[in-house]
Amino acid sequence: MRKIVVVGGSLAGVHAAESLRDRGYDGELTIVSSEDQLPYDRPPLSKEALMEGLDHERLLLHDAAWYQQKNITVLLNDPAVRLDTDGRQLELLSGTALDYDGLVIATGSRARRVRTQEDGPTVHVIRTSDDARALRPRLQAGRHLVIAGGGFIGLEVAAAARQLGMMVTIIEGAPVPLARAFGDVIGAWYRDLHERNGVSFRCGLSLESIDRTPEGGVRVHLSDGSVVIGDVLVAGIGAEPAVEWLEGSGVSVGNGIICEADLSTTAPGVVAAGDVARWYNAIFDEEMRIEHWSNAVDQGRHAAGTLLGGNDAFLTVPYFWSDQYDARMRFVGRAGAAEHVYIEHMSDDRLIVLFGRDGLLRGAVCVNAPRQLAGYRMAIRDNVSWDQFVDGPSVRAASL
């Protein structure tokens, strides 16, 4: 291969490019990005960037000199719009056509948005540095922030806003926040954490409509007929993989890009990595698509190896974190499809919950319990029996 293109100025895309150079690839290497700035880190956008202001230089994965040193061309503000896998050519929005021998798709995902009428109020999301830059000036002490969605993004924004002195109301369709990810027990623990810090919840309700108040705020109409009035509205209702541009390309998609175990796709010379990749993980005997920081790093590097001729399966125990107030949560494994849940420890400032399936430990949530985390991750990787960790009655997951 003499020409490799990485589509996506993402964490996965940059690590794929870096790994290609580390593995000895010395041909042409181009990163194509839809954004107008060099690739940067995203987790701080919903936390530090909102509380302290956006320092974009600190967020950069690498400065411009690094890309020059590695002989990597970065094309900014020019997203991919069409892929011809037969002719091995990528077309950009500007009309530029890039020939390639190998292609890494790392376009990531985009935030889902709440629909409003054309003259309705602005609904903020947190996905890009531009999103954080637009939201930050509106987060002022004494104002009321309304958040649609009680997932991790919504909860992290709520924690930042409360520490800035705002009133916060979270609207969540499930009975408790994080219920879809972890069930009601952990969701109730996080609801209590936020309520102790002054956040109000409206759970079990959906948004019916949104309009603007005469003062320029937001009026949110809920499914029970009630209304929540605030100054700012943030939507944290999940993300969706950016794959629409691949229609007709020969790359199979379905809840992301469908990959083999080694992250190769249905098109020759094309691999995928990061939020957009859906692949079979033999550790869990499960197809999965993961939107986590550590997965993007590891998959980007693995996809580079596959593109250069490797065929090892990508195996991982998923890991992610979320810091809210003084609660430092770390999660390893999978909670979905769990058959049993065991609460090892639960108090106001500490939480350890295990998830089991098919007689094996499959996942663990550790809040302010860092020492246990590494052991659980190794046990999940090594398929250690559920009974080795549970010394008391567990709860049927279906009853949570």
Side-chain angles (χ1 to χ4, degrees):
M1 291 188 177
R2 300 310 303 163
K3 293 183 179 180
I4 294 179
V5 177
V6 178
V7 189
S10 61
L11 185 67
V14 170
H15 277 272
E18 183 174 5
S19 183
L20 286 166
R21 290 301 191 219
D22 290 346
R23 293 169 186 268
Y25 172 73
D26 61 0
E28 291 184 26
L29 182 53
T30 303
I31 296 176
V32 173
S33 177
S34 62
E35 296 194 56
D36 59 3
Q37 47 210 329
L38 289 174
Y40 56 89
D41 210 12
R42 297 182 189 274
L45 296 179
S46 58
K47 298 180 280 289
E48 294 94 329
L50 297 183
M51 295 178 61
E52 303 168 7
L54 186 68
D55 184 346
H56 191 75
E57 293 300 314
R58 290 178 58 188
L59 293 181
L60 291 178
L61 298 176
H62 297 291
D63 60 17
W66 182 87
Y67 295 97
Q68 293 174 357
Q69 178 187 2
K70 297 290 185 179
N71 195 22
I72 300 172
T73 300
V74 183
L75 302 180
L76 299 175
N77 200 28
D78 203 1
V81 295
R82 193 177 72 87
L83 176 62
D84 176 5
T85 55
D86 292 331
R88 297 206 177 195
Q89 190 173 79
L90 179 74
E91 183 180 335
L92 308 184
L93 182 62
S94 63
T96 301
L98 299 177
D99 296 325
Y100 69 85
D101 301 311
L103 191 76
V104 181
I105 302 178
T107 44
S109 52
R110 63 172 60 87
R112 292 192 178 98
R113 296 183 178 270
V114 174
R115 292 182 180 179
T116 63
Q117 297 194 5
E118 191 171 326
D119 61 347
T122 299
V123 180
H124 294 268
V125 296
I126 296 291
R127 188 68 190 177
T128 69
S129 62
D130 286 344
D131 295 334
R133 188 177 290 108
L135 176 61
R136 177 64 183 87
R138 305 205 63 192
L139 302 183
Q140 299 176 15
R143 303 185 80 185
H144 184 191
L145 171 65
V146 182
I147 300 174
F152 282 107
I153 292 295
L155 295 182
E156 289 172 1
V157 173
R162 282 299 298 144
Q163 291 171 87
L164 289 171
M166 299 189 74
M167 298 177 287
V168 178
T169 300
I170 295 177
I171 301 166
E172 166 58 43
V176 293
L178 300 180
R180 295 177 182 86
F182 294 130
D184 289 355
V185 170
I186 295 176
W189 190 90
Y190 268 95
R191 180 193 60 201
D192 292 345
L193 168 69
H194 280 268
E195 287 180 339
R196 290 196 303 272
N197 283 276
V199 174
S200 298
F201 284 88
R202 301 298 306 276
C203 292
L205 299 172
S206 60
L207 277 65
E208 293 295 307
S209 63
I210 303 167
D211 54 44
R212 191 190 307 272
T213 67
E215 298 77 20
V218 294
R219 185 185 292 110
V220 183
H221 300 263
L222 304 181
S223 53
D224 67 348
S226 63
V227 176
V228 177
I229 297 176
D231 299 293
V232 189
L233 178 61
V234 171
I237 56 175
E240 53 193 11
V243 297
E244 69 289 337
W245 64 281
L246 291 169
E247 183 177 356
S249 67
V251 175
S252 293
V253 299
N255 184 28
I257 296 173
I258 300 172
C259 298
E260 298 294 332
D262 63 357
L263 303 182
S264 60
T265 72
T266 51
V270 180
V271 296
D275 293 9
V276 78
R278 181 181 135 204
W279 91 107
Y280 172 75
N281 188 345
I283 291 178
F284 297 86
D285 188 24
E286 181 184 346
E287 279 195 350
M288 55 182 67
R289 185 177 67 81
I290 299 176
E291 298 177 359
H292 301 161
W293 189 96
S294 59
N295 182 73
V297 171
D298 295 342
Q299 278 197 343
R301 304 191 72 84
H302 192 96
T306 296
L307 194 61
L308 294 181
N311 59 4
D312 292 337
F314 178 70
L315 303 174
T316 188
V317 177
Y319 164 80
F320 74 93
W321 70 90
S322 178
D323 295 337
Q324 301 165 38
Y325 312 108
D326 294 327
R328 300 177 63 84
M329 189 278 284
R330 304 294 181 263
F331 175 75
V332 289
R334 300 285 278 177
E339 296 171 335
H340 295 278
V341 178
Y342 176 64
I343 303 171
E344 182 174 309
H345 180 91
M346 180 180 287
S347 61
D348 283 353
D349 61 354
R350 193 163 176 262
L351 179 68
I352 304 174
V353 179
L354 308 182
F355 297 86
R357 188 182 76 204
D358 300 328
L360 303 173
L361 179 68
R362 298 284 80 181
V365 169
C366 298
V367 180
N368 296 336
R371 292 183 179 179
Q372 289 86 342
L373 190 76
Y376 290 139
R377 193 174 194 183
M378 288 188 293
I380 294 168
R381 179 199 64 194
D382 296 339
N383 289 320
V384 173
S385 168
W386 171 254
D387 293 335
Q388 290 192 34
F389 286 90
V390 176
D391 58 6
S394 59
V395 179
R396 290 289 300 179
S399 69
L400 295 179

